[in-house]
Amino acid sequence: DAKTTQPTSMDCAEGRAANLPCNHSTISGNEYVYWYRQIHSQGPQYIIHGLKNNETNEMASLIITEDRKSSTLILPHATLRDTAVYYCIVRVYFGNEKLTFGTGTRLTIIP
Amino acid sequence: EAGVAQSPRYKIIEKRQSVAFWCNPISGHATLYWYQQILGQGPKLLIQFQNNGVVDDSQLPKDRFSAERLKGVDSTLKIQPAKLEDSAVYLCASSALLGTDTQYFGPGTRLTVL
């Protein structure tokens, strides 16, 4: 069973903020939200993860709602190189639970 | 720091033939993963090693797929005999620690079975 729901595709204008939503209404208290992306012909690349507080790193920001049932990945100033498939994954932080990839959101940055 | 290396990048074989893929993880990473990615789908874990021991191979089709990591460093994944439905990208990933740590992926090997 899929733990997350993402839109199939999105477009964003170059230079604008790209906001990628993810629903995870059945998330458990000990599960984190992870984001990976996969640029064409490359392996997936880790972006960010969080539990309940908003997180920011050099690549993106992660906003998790207070009830933790959904989250948004924000790429603040999208470039053409951000065109990729973005995967939202929930998994337990401790332990050996595997990364379970869905079909993700195909983000296209438009010049 | 060098990333995860995989070879070959592309392979075309006929059904019922055998094929092997090689992966060299990031230096010092104890955990190694093999994923299969069919076109249009997300990667699916086939097998996970911790050093040279298997942690999870529950989704590995063991009648035709095998994998080893003899010295706890590089790894090979073999398919024998290949079927048409094995056409996919085979991705190798590594992480420093079991479970919690970020996984770093290689570029993958694209296999086409004719």
Side-chain angles (χ1 to χ4, degrees):
Chain A
D1 293 336
K3 288 187 173 183
T4 64
T5 304
Q6 298 178 254
T8 302
S9 63
M10 294 180 62
D11 293 339
C12 179
E14 186 178 18
R16 304 297 293 269
N19 298 286
L20 291 92
C22 180
N23 287 322
H24 30 79
S25 58
T26 60
I27 192 169
S28 300
N30 62 348
E31 287 182 317
Y32 281 63
V33 180
Y34 284 76
W35 284 84
Y36 279 73
R37 74 179 182 183
Q38 188 171 23
I39 295 169
H40 183 63
S41 295
Q42 297 183 21
Q45 175 191 26
Y46 166 81
I47 302 173
I48 198 167
H49 74 277
L51 180 63
K52 56 182 178 180
N53 297 321
N54 297 338
E55 302 288 345
T56 295
N57 63 20
E58 65 278 5
M59 289 183 68
S61 294
L62 174 60
I63 309 297
I64 302 174
T65 59
E66 192 169 345
D67 63 8
R68 302 209 323 122
K69 292 185 176 182
S70 65
S71 60
T72 301
L73 178 75
I74 301 172
L75 308 177
H77 305 288
T79 71
L80 298 179
R81 287 174 294 184
D82 292 321
T83 293
V85 177
Y86 287 76
Y87 297 99
C88 171
I89 302 166
V90 297
R91 69 187 287 251
V92 177
Y93 187 71
F94 294 104
N96 193 33
E97 185 176 334
K98 54 178 159 283
L99 284 178
T100 301
F101 290 84
T103 52
T105 296
R106 181 172 298 278
L107 175 68
T108 302
I109 306 302
I110 300 172
Chain B
E1 179 182 81
V4 176
Q6 291 188 247
S7 68
R9 291 296 312 276
Y10 305 91
K11 189 73 176 179
I12 301 174
I13 62 173
E14 295 188 349
K15 60 183 179 182
R16 292 187 290 272
Q17 286 187 323
S18 301
V19 65
F21 312 124
W22 174 82
C23 171
N24 190 27
I26 292 174
S27 178
H29 278 194
T31 309
L32 185 147
Y33 313 79
W34 283 102
Y35 289 83
Q36 179 193 58
Q37 186 172 23
I38 293 172
L39 186 65
Q41 300 180 17
K44 182 185 81 171
L45 180 69
L46 292 176
I47 188 167
Q48 177 182 344
F49 292 94
Q50 175 71 3
N51 296 310
N52 61 350
V54 175
V55 175
D56 183 355
D57 64 356
S58 58
Q59 298 193 86
L60 186 73
K62 298 180 186 64
D63 58 334
R64 297 184 300 106
F65 286 65
S66 64
E68 60 183 13
R69 193 184 184 199
L70 291 176
K71 296 184 179 179
V73 180
D74 56 355
S75 175
T76 56
L77 175 70
K78 297 179 182 178
I79 307 175
Q80 180 180 9
K83 294 185 175 181
L84 296 178
E85 58 261 36
D86 298 332
S87 293
V89 175
Y90 291 85
L91 294 158
C92 180
S94 69
S95 64
L97 301 171
L98 180 67
T100 65
D101 208 23
T102 299
Q103 294 186 25
Y104 296 87
F105 285 79
T109 297
R110 181 176 297 277
L111 174 67
T112 302
V113 182
L114 303 176

